[in-house]
């Protein structure tokens, strides 16, 4: 039976992934002037998983796994046109077919995320990266919930895939406002070998 507690991640691996997500993982956004009271600092946006530490697990292909992420603006001013880049990858460093990743804000309409494969990630963890996904406006000191759905197709790699969220706002240019290391999504059929397609 799969242990649904996320394994310990080496600090160097997490740091390397965080660096890569912040550089070149999404289209460059033209810097515009932010409100004078706002410094566009890292830590302005925080996130947490509504499910605690549970890892959504699929025992067969085609099952949609869900994570509800609470996104909080710690600042006293609203963040206009907030975005998040979603990334997903496994320690086996095997690509497999692209998962279907969708997201929505609150109970709104689902949107499909376009993914591209990043094989380098500073030599640490290859990842499927999304483009910048719109979250809308984050109210001052406010919280919104965004939900991600991940569906692994047949021949996916049997593994626990780690997910990472990188937060930005158009008004802050390319400044990273927050970074979140999620609980992951597991594709773990009862048959097959870990690290191999099933």
């Amino acid at each position: 039976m799969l242990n649904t507690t996320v394994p310990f991640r080496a600090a160097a691996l997490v740091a390397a992934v965080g660096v890569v997500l912040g550089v070149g993982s999404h289209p460059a956004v033209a810097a515009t002037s932010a409100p004078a009271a706002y410094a566009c600092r890292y830590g302005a946006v925080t996130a947490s998983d509504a499910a605690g530490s549970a890892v959504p697990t699929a025992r067969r292909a085609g099952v949609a796994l869900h994570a509800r992420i609470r996104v909080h603006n710690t600042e006293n001013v609203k963040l206009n046109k907030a975005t998040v880049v979603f990334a997903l990858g496994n320690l086996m460093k095997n690509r497999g077919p692209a998962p279907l990743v969708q997201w929505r804000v609150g109970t709104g309409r689902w949107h499909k995320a376009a993914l591209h494969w990043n094989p380098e990630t500073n030599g640490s963890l290859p990842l499927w990266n999304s483009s910048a996904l719109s979250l809308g406006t984050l109210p001052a000191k406010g919280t919104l919930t965004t939900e991600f759905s991940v569906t692994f197709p047949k021949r996916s790699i049997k593994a626990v895939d780690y997910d990472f969220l990188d937060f930005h706002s158009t008004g802050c240019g390319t400044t990273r406002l927050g970074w979140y290391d999620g609980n992951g999504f597991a594709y773990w059929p009862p048959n097959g070998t870990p690290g191999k397609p099933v």
Side-chain angles (χ1 to χ4, degrees):
M1 182 173 178
L2 176 69
N3 181 352
T4 57
T5 301
V6 179
F8 173 77
R9 298 178 180 88
L13 174 113
V14 173
V17 171
V19 168
V20 168
L21 282 176
V23 180
S25 61
H26 54 85
V29 180
T32 58
S33 48
Y38 183 55
C40 293
R41 65 177 181 85
Y42 178 79
V45 174
T46 61
S48 61
D49 195 311
S53 61
V55 178
T57 302
R59 304 294 180 185
R60 57 183 173 82
V63 174
L65 304 175
H66 294 269
R68 294 179 68 244
I69 307 298
R70 290 185 292 252
V71 182
H72 180 65
N73 176 7
T74 67
E75 297 295 328
N76 288 317
V77 296
K78 67 181 179 180
L79 294 174
N80 293 314
K81 298 182 180 178
T83 62
V84 60
V85 172
F86 178 88
L88 188 72
N90 63 70
L91 291 175
M92 308 295 185
K93 300 187 178 182
N94 290 340
R95 177 174 178 167
L100 169 63
V101 174
Q102 299 182 86
W103 94 100
R104 67 178 178 177
V105 177
T107 58
R109 180 170 72 88
W110 285 100
H111 307 274
K112 182 179 178 181
L115 302 179
H116 65 274
W117 179 248
N118 182 350
E120 297 299 329
T121 319
N122 282 0
S124 295
L125 183 63
L127 295 168
W128 287 106
N129 282 55
S130 76
S131 57
L133 310 175
S134 175
L135 297 178
T137 298
L138 280 172
K141 294 293 185 181
T143 300
L144 62 75
T145 298
T146 184
E147 187 172 2
F148 290 93
S149 169
V150 175
T151 304
F152 294 101
K154 290 181 179 179
R155 305 298 293 166
S156 290
I157 303 302
K158 181 174 181 175
V160 175
D161 280 39
Y162 302 105
D163 65 305
F164 306 93
L165 304 178
D166 193 13
F167 297 98
H168 294 263
S169 169
T170 299
C172 291
T174 57
T175 300
R176 172 187 284 169
L177 302 181
W179 186 73
Y180 176 67
D181 181 3
N183 292 339
F185 296 85
Y187 178 63
W188 206 266
N191 59 320
T193 303
K196 301 294 183 183
V198 179

